[in-house]
Amino acid sequence: MPASTNAPAAGIRTVDLRLYGLLDVGVCGADGAHLARLGAEAVAGGCTLLQYREKDIPDARAALARIRAIQEAVGGRVPVLVNDRVDLAMAAGADGVHLGQNDLHPADARRLLGEGAIIGLTVKKAAQADELYRLPVDYACIGGVFATTSKDNPDPPVGLEGFSSIAFRARLARGAGLPLGAIAGIGPENAAAVIAAGADGVAVITALFGAEPVRQHARALRARIDAALTDRAQAR
């Protein structure tokens, strides 16, 4: 992540990470109408946050059109974020952006997007979690937790124990108010386990959008997540 002038951490927007759907062009295809329909179906099934994800964008205008199609289909029912590209998020009037460790510094993204934008960050290591105290982000996604084929990740999966350890460090740095999501290789079979390990929600691609019917997949995942969050709260 490029160096930037330190900015005080600030959770500007409240973010519901329970079921975070990543509309990945590599998995879902590049047809804007299809992406919009998938996003709308996911939201109808209980998805609480959407992200447009396209790596190595060859045509920014085409990507912008796809983002706008998703926004129109969702109709403001949940926030729509853009992966990596702050410029596209600004052009589309998106709700915010999700950044990786090698993308624009969150403080710079905050200056460009304003205090009302949602800014999320991928955290892969404990040392990165320690830095959250000074970063103006509204949530963090920790991972990859499990192996996945939907994105390139040169680092080995951190697993449930690793996730729990990094989440602990993140909460030491920023307090319990920062929502933490789990990402990579998460589906119905392990969603409850990552919630029990400390996640506030899960970020998924294939488990939602890898096959039809998307709405039913979203409902099933959301039910497992909500039940696991209830179990965790009752156990405290």
Side-chain angles (χ1 to χ4, degrees):
M1 183 180 298
S4 178
T5 302
N6 289 3
I12 305 300
R13 292 274 298 268
T14 300
V15 183
D16 186 347
L17 285 183
R18 282 178 292 173
L19 184 52
Y20 187 1
L22 311 187
L23 286 161
D24 183 275
V25 169
V27 172
C28 303
D31 180 83
H34 180 62
L35 285 165
R37 183 185 66 80
L38 293 179
E41 286 292 298
V43 171
C47 195
T48 57
L49 185 65
L50 286 176
Q51 180 193 126
Y52 174 80
R53 184 179 184 276
E54 181 179 5
K55 294 295 185 180
D56 304 317
I57 295 174
D59 187 339
R61 288 186 179 181
L64 183 59
R66 289 190 280 270
I67 295 165
R68 287 174 171 161
I70 295 165
Q71 291 173 303
E72 183 176 357
V74 171
R77 287 173 289 168
V78 305
V80 176
L81 310 185
V82 178
N83 183 266
D84 297 349
R85 294 287 297 264
V86 173
D87 58 334
L88 289 178
M90 293 175 65
D95 294 285
V97 67
H98 182 87
L99 302 171
Q101 289 291 324
N102 295 319
D103 296 325
L104 188 68
H105 194 281
D108 295 325
R110 178 64 71 198
R111 280 193 287 272
L112 290 168
L113 293 171
E115 292 189 353
I118 295 171
I119 297 178
L121 181 68
T122 296
V123 171
K124 299 182 177 183
K125 300 176 181 178
Q128 295 166 355
D130 293 341
E131 291 295 303
L132 287 169
Y133 79 93
R134 66 184 185 89
L135 301 179
V137 298
D138 301 287
Y139 74 88
C141 277
I142 298 170
V145 181
F146 304 111
T148 179
T149 59
S150 62
K151 64 180 292 185
D152 295 329
N153 189 349
D155 298 315
V158 299
L160 290 174
E161 185 176 344
F163 175 89
S164 183
S165 176
I166 296 170
F168 177 77
R169 296 275 285 269
R171 289 184 170 120
L172 279 180
R174 274 287 296 269
L178 182 71
L180 299 177
I183 190 168
I186 298 168
E189 71 285 354
N190 55 27
V194 295
I195 297 296
D200 297 306
V202 301
V204 293
I205 301 175
T206 306
L208 270 183
F209 304 117
E212 300 281 1
V214 170
R215 188 180 302 200
Q216 282 84 337
H217 294 323
R219 283 177 177 160
L221 260 173
R222 175 66 184 274
R224 290 179 184 242
I225 292 162
D226 287 348
L229 286 168
T230 298
D231 290 344
R232 190 175 77 189
Q234 291 175 344
R236 289 176 175 171

